[in-house]
Amino acid sequence: MGLTEQLTQRASQDTPDPHNQRREVQAVFAETVNNFKLFYQAVIEGGFSQSRLLSQIINGLSDVAGLNNYQTEAMIFNTRFQQHPFAIALCESTLEVQFIYKLAIKYNLPIRVRAGGHDHEGECSGSNTILIDVSRIKHFSYNSCSEVATIGAGYRFYQLTPKLAECGRMIAHGTCATVGLTGFIQGGGWGPWTRKYGMCCEHLVAATVVLGNGEVVEVSESCEPEILWALRGGGGMSWGIVTELKVKTFELPDEIHRFEVIWNTLSKSKKGSYEPLCQRPTLEILKAWEDAIQATDTPDLLGTNLKINAIAESADNCALPYDKLYHPCTMYGYWQGTEQAMRDFIDQTFGPIKNNAAKPKITYAKVGGKVKLKGKAKGRGAPTYSYDHTLLSNWARESLADQDIPLHHDLQKQKQAFTPDYDAPAPHKITSKLVNQTGLSERGYQQLLMSLTSPLIQANNPSVGLFSYVTLGAIVGDFYHSLKEECNALGVSFPYRDCLYTIQYQTWWNESVKDKLELQNNTVYVDTNRAMDWISASRSTEIDGAYGAFISFKDASIPTPIYFQQNYERLVKIKKSYIMDDYNHLRTRKTII
C-alpha cells in the first residue's frame, strides 16, 4: 500500500489516533528525505563536482580545525541563525545554477539562494533546503564605451572595488565590505555614495536571471523590462536567481577622504559603567546633520550617516526634557575634495565652539583618488587610482578590542583611525523606518530620542560587548535633488526615493574573537534578551514624520507590504505574470508573495 492510500485510510477513521497523526507527518518528511537522496544522486550523475555539493554526510576537510567543509560553508553573516540545509551547491556558472535549481524543483525540494549571506533574518539559507550558493560566479569586465561593468553574482564589495578602481571607475557600493552585490542591489543599495549617485539600483541596466520554471532570461530595458524594474529594489529572490549584473559606473574622484565627527563619547564612570560625556545635546547634533544632508550646496559630501547610541534610562536623565539628552553620536562622512575643504565643511556644519571641552573629536584619512606617478612613468596612459579598503570598514557597527578602552578613545592616538574589520559575522537583530520628505516634527524628534533612552538598555552593556544604537543613513542629496525622469522612464521599484534618510535600529553582541570563544559563559548573554526587547519596542514606536521599513534592513516581524509601499501591488503582479513560478519555489518569509 502506498503513502497516499495509507493516509486516505487513516483519514477515514472516525476517531483520530494521535500516534498515527504524528506518524503521518513523519511519513511526509521521510518522503522529502528520500527525494533529497534521489536529488543528490541525480546531481552527481549529471556531472556536478561532488567536492562542491556538500551535505552533512558527504563533505570534505576544511581549513578550519575541527570543522568539515559543510559546517564552514553553512555559516551565514547573522550567527544568531544556525541553518542546516540538505545540501550546499557551490555553483560556478549560470548553467550550474539552472541545473541544480531544475533538479531541486523536480524532486519537490525547497531552495534558498546565497551570494554574500548578509540577510539579517537568515533567509539566505534554511534547514532542510537545497542552498544554491552563487559566491563562486566571479567574472568581470568593463566596457569603456558604455561605462558599464559586467559583474558575476558572487562578488562582494571588497573583491569588486579593486577591479573597478583599476579602470578608474566605481559603483554606488555599500558600507560593509563583505556584502554581496546581488542582494544589495535588489534591496535598493544604500551606501556612502548615495547623496551623489543615489541608490545602487538606480544604475542596474541588465541582468541574467534563472526564472521560476528554470529557464534563463537576459533582462534589460528592452527585454523583460518589468523584471528589471523589480530587480531595482524589489527585494531578493522573488524575481529569480540572479547570476550576472550589468551596472553603470562613474569616474572615481581625484581625492577622497573619510571622516568621523564624534560627540558625547562614552566614558567610564566611577560605577564602572560607560556614560556619555555631556558635550552637546543630541537634538542639536541631529538637526545640524539634517541641515547638512538637505543642503543644495554640499556636492562634495558624497554620503554620510549619523550613529546615535542608545543609553540606559536612569534617575539622572529620566526627568530631563528630550532636548537636553546626551547620547554618543558619530557622524561618518565621505568627502570628495581636499582635506582643508572637508575641515571647513565640518566647522560650518557644527559651528565654531569656544569651549574646548565641548568640541567634537575629529578623525579622518585620505582613502582614495588618483595616484601621482613619478619619473618616467609620469604621463603614460590612463591615470592610476587607489581605493583603500578603509572606505569599507565598520561604518555602522562598533567593535570592542579591549573591554577597558572607552569607545573611540584609542582612535585619537592614530592618524589612520579606520582599521577595517570587514564586518565579521556576529549575532544581531535590526529593524528600520524612513523619514519622509517633510522631515520629523518636534514630536517626532522627541519620540526618536526617547526610544534611545530606555530602561531596556543597561549602562554596562558596552563593557561586555553589547551595542544598541541607530544609524541614520542620508538619502537626500544632489542625485535626488536633480532627478528628472521622463514620463516613460522605467524607474526603480525602491519606494523611498523622496525620503530624507533611513533610521536603522540595531543591536549587536559578542563581536570579538575572545567573546566568541567564551560561548555561553560570556557575560554578554545576561542582557541580550533585554536588548532584543528594545528592538521590538523600537519597531512599534511611533515617530511622527517616519514611516515604512527598508527591506535591506530586514525584520521578519514587519508585514511585507510595508517594505514596498506604493509599489507592492505592481510587484505582486510581476511575480505572478513574468517570473514563471507557478508553485512559488522562489519564496522565503519576506519575498513578495
Side-chain angles (χ1 to χ4, degrees):
M1 184 182 296
L3 174 64
T4 303
E5 289 80 3
Q6 291 181 45
L7 296 178
T8 302
Q9 180 177 331
R10 291 172 184 170
S12 65
Q13 296 175 355
D14 293 334
T15 304
D17 183 330
H19 180 74
N20 285 339
Q21 290 176 324
R22 179 180 174 84
R23 285 290 181 265
E24 288 166 10
V25 174
Q26 290 172 332
V28 172
F29 183 65
E31 186 169 357
T32 301
V33 172
N34 186 61
N35 282 352
F36 165 64
K37 293 176 181 177
L38 296 174
F39 162 86
Y40 191 95
Q41 181 179 349
V43 172
I44 298 303
E45 290 176 351
F48 194 90
S49 171
Q50 186 170 336
S51 66
R52 292 189 285 111
L53 185 64
L54 309 177
S55 73
Q56 296 185 54
I57 299 174
I58 303 175
N59 46 63
L61 295 176
S62 78
D63 56 0
V64 180
L67 297 181
N68 60 46
N69 273 337
Y70 173 88
Q71 292 166 324
T72 58
E73 292 292 346
M75 191 182 76
I76 57 176
F77 181 63
N78 190 348
T79 55
R80 191 164 60 87
F81 298 99
Q82 298 295 329
Q83 313 284 22
H84 302 285
F86 278 134
I88 304 172
L90 303 172
C91 298
E92 295 182 347
S93 68
T94 299
L95 287 177
E96 287 192 343
V97 169
Q98 181 186 39
F99 173 65
I100 294 293
Y101 175 71
K102 280 187 171 183
L103 280 177
I105 62 176
K106 175 183 177 180
Y107 289 103
N108 199 26
L109 296 170
I111 65 118
R112 292 292 185 271
V113 181
R114 182 179 67 186
H118 277 248
D119 188 296
H120 292 290
E121 287 289 351
E123 293 185 4
C124 53
S125 185
S127 294
N128 303 327
T129 64
I130 304 302
L131 175 55
I132 300 174
D133 184 292
V134 301
S135 63
R136 297 192 179 193
I137 304 178
K138 285 192 175 76
H139 55 270
F140 173 87
S141 62
Y142 171 68
N143 186 317
S144 58
C145 295
S146 64
E147 299 181 336
V148 169
T150 300
I151 305 164
Y155 272 106
R156 302 183 183 200
F157 292 134
Y158 78 96
Q159 300 162 332
L160 177 61
T161 51
K163 291 185 174 294
L164 289 163
E166 287 176 6
C167 305
R169 311 295 295 182
M170 196 46 59
I171 62 169
H173 59 71
T175 58
C176 176
T178 55
V179 163
L181 175 62
T182 312
F184 175 77
I185 210 165
Q186 290 180 85
W190 181 90
W193 297 94
T194 296
R195 290 193 74 247
K196 185 72 172 181
Y197 294 103
M199 309 291 283
C200 194
C201 66
E202 303 276 2
H203 309 285
L204 179 65
V205 298
T208 302
V209 183
V210 179
L211 297 179
N213 61 0
E215 298 306 306
V216 177
V217 62
E218 305 289 336
V219 305
S220 65
E221 292 203 6
S222 60
C223 180
E224 304 289 1
E226 287 290 278
I227 299 178
L228 179 64
W229 180 82
L231 290 172
R232 292 174 172 174
M237 193 165 167
S238 294
W239 323 112
I241 306 173
V242 178
T243 59
E244 179 182 277
L245 300 162
K246 293 183 184 294
V247 185
K248 184 83 170 181
T249 66
F250 53 83
E251 185 178 7
L252 269 173
D254 289 350
E255 189 173 355
I256 312 169
H257 289 82
R258 180 176 179 271
F259 65 88
E260 292 182 2
V261 186
I262 306 161
W263 297 91
N264 307 333
T265 55
L266 289 175
S267 180
K268 202 169 187 178
S269 69
K270 294 180 180 179
K271 301 175 183 177
S273 61
Y274 288 105
E275 296 177 1
L277 298 175
C278 296
Q279 293 176 298
R280 190 165 187 175
T282 308
L283 184 61
E284 288 185 16
I285 299 168
L286 172 57
K287 288 187 174 182
W289 180 81
E290 287 179 332
D291 289 343
I293 67 171
Q294 294 182 76
T296 57
D297 60 350
T298 55
D300 291 334
L301 181 63
L302 303 173
T304 176
N305 68 12
L306 178 68
K307 180 169 65 180
I308 307 175
N309 288 56
I311 59 174
E313 183 182 283
S314 67
D316 294 330
N317 62 32
C318 66
L320 292 174
Y322 72 97
D323 59 347
K324 300 299 181 184
L325 290 171
Y326 295 84
H327 301 78
C329 296
T330 304
M331 176 187 179
Y332 298 89
Y334 205 40
W335 184 262
Q336 169 186 289
T338 65
E339 176 186 319
Q340 186 57 52
M342 175 194 68
R343 293 188 65 86
D344 290 345
F345 162 77
I346 293 171
D347 289 341
Q348 292 166 9
T349 299
F350 295 104
I353 298 175
K354 295 180 180 179
N355 180 3
N356 288 333
K359 285 186 177 180
K361 296 177 182 178
I362 301 172
T363 56
Y364 57 89
K366 183 178 179 181
V367 289
K370 287 182 179 177
V371 176
K372 293 181 179 179
L373 301 177
K374 298 180 180 179
K376 295 181 180 179
K378 189 175 182 180
R380 289 183 181 178
T384 301
Y385 289 84
S386 66
Y387 199 71
D388 197 296
H389 283 171
T390 53
L391 292 169
L392 295 164
S393 60
N394 51 331
W395 266 49
R397 287 176 57 185
E398 293 173 358
S399 296
L400 197 68
D402 188 306
Q403 292 182 348
D404 295 323
I405 296 178
L407 182 65
H408 296 298
H409 174 78
D410 59 331
L411 296 183
Q412 309 313 310
K413 303 175 183 178
Q414 305 177 41
K415 292 182 179 179
Q416 185 77 8
F418 312 108
T419 303
D421 65 357
Y422 293 105
D423 293 281
H428 62 277
K429 176 67 178 177
I430 67 177
T431 195
S432 63
K433 304 175 190 291
L434 294 99
V435 174
N436 66 35
Q437 59 184 327
T438 59
L440 298 180
S441 66
E442 282 302 317
R443 180 166 171 262
Y445 288 123
Q446 180 178 10
Q447 292 164 327
L448 173 61
L449 296 186
M450 294 311 296
S451 74
L452 293 167
T453 312
S454 171
L456 295 170
I457 302 298
Q458 307 302 300
N460 69 330
N461 281 357
S463 67
V464 296
L466 172 59
F467 303 102
S468 302
Y469 50 94
V470 295
T471 51
L472 313 179
I475 294 176
V476 65
D478 279 11
F479 183 86
Y480 290 112
H481 279 317
S482 59
L483 183 64
K484 294 179 181 178
E485 289 188 315
E486 298 178 3
C487 60
N488 61 346
L490 182 61
V492 301
S493 53
F494 178 73
Y496 301 104
R497 292 166 119 185
D498 59 352
C499 287
L500 300 185
Y501 54 89
T502 66
I503 301 176
Q504 182 184 10
Y505 286 90
Q506 309 185 51
T507 192
W508 298 75
W509 62 93
N510 238 9
E511 291 187 51
S512 73
V513 172
K514 170 183 173 295
D515 290 341
K516 290 182 176 71
L517 290 174
E518 290 179 356
L519 301 175
Q520 295 301 319
N521 292 325
N522 192 298
T523 53
V524 74
Y525 287 107
V526 173
D527 294 321
T528 52
N529 278 353
R530 279 181 283 194
M532 293 279 282
D533 288 342
W534 175 73
I535 290 288
S536 297
S538 300
R539 178 194 307 119
S540 58
T541 296
E542 179 188 355
I543 299 177
D544 191 34
Y547 74 112
F550 190 1
I551 192 62
S552 287
F553 306 151
K554 189 183 292 182
D555 177 351
S557 299
I558 295 175
T560 307
I562 290 177
Y563 281 111
F564 301 105
Q565 296 292 315
Q566 70 275 12
N567 294 333
Y568 177 70
E569 293 300 330
R570 181 178 172 186
L571 288 168
V572 170
K573 288 181 180 178
I574 291 172
K575 177 68 186 288
K576 291 179 177 179
S577 302
Y578 295 95
I579 307 305
M580 307 304 169
D581 189 19
D582 293 341
Y583 295 98
N584 206 18
H585 295 292
L586 300 169
R587 73 182 187 279
T588 63
R589 178 65 184 88
K590 288 288 108 180
T591 46
I592 203 70
I593 54 175

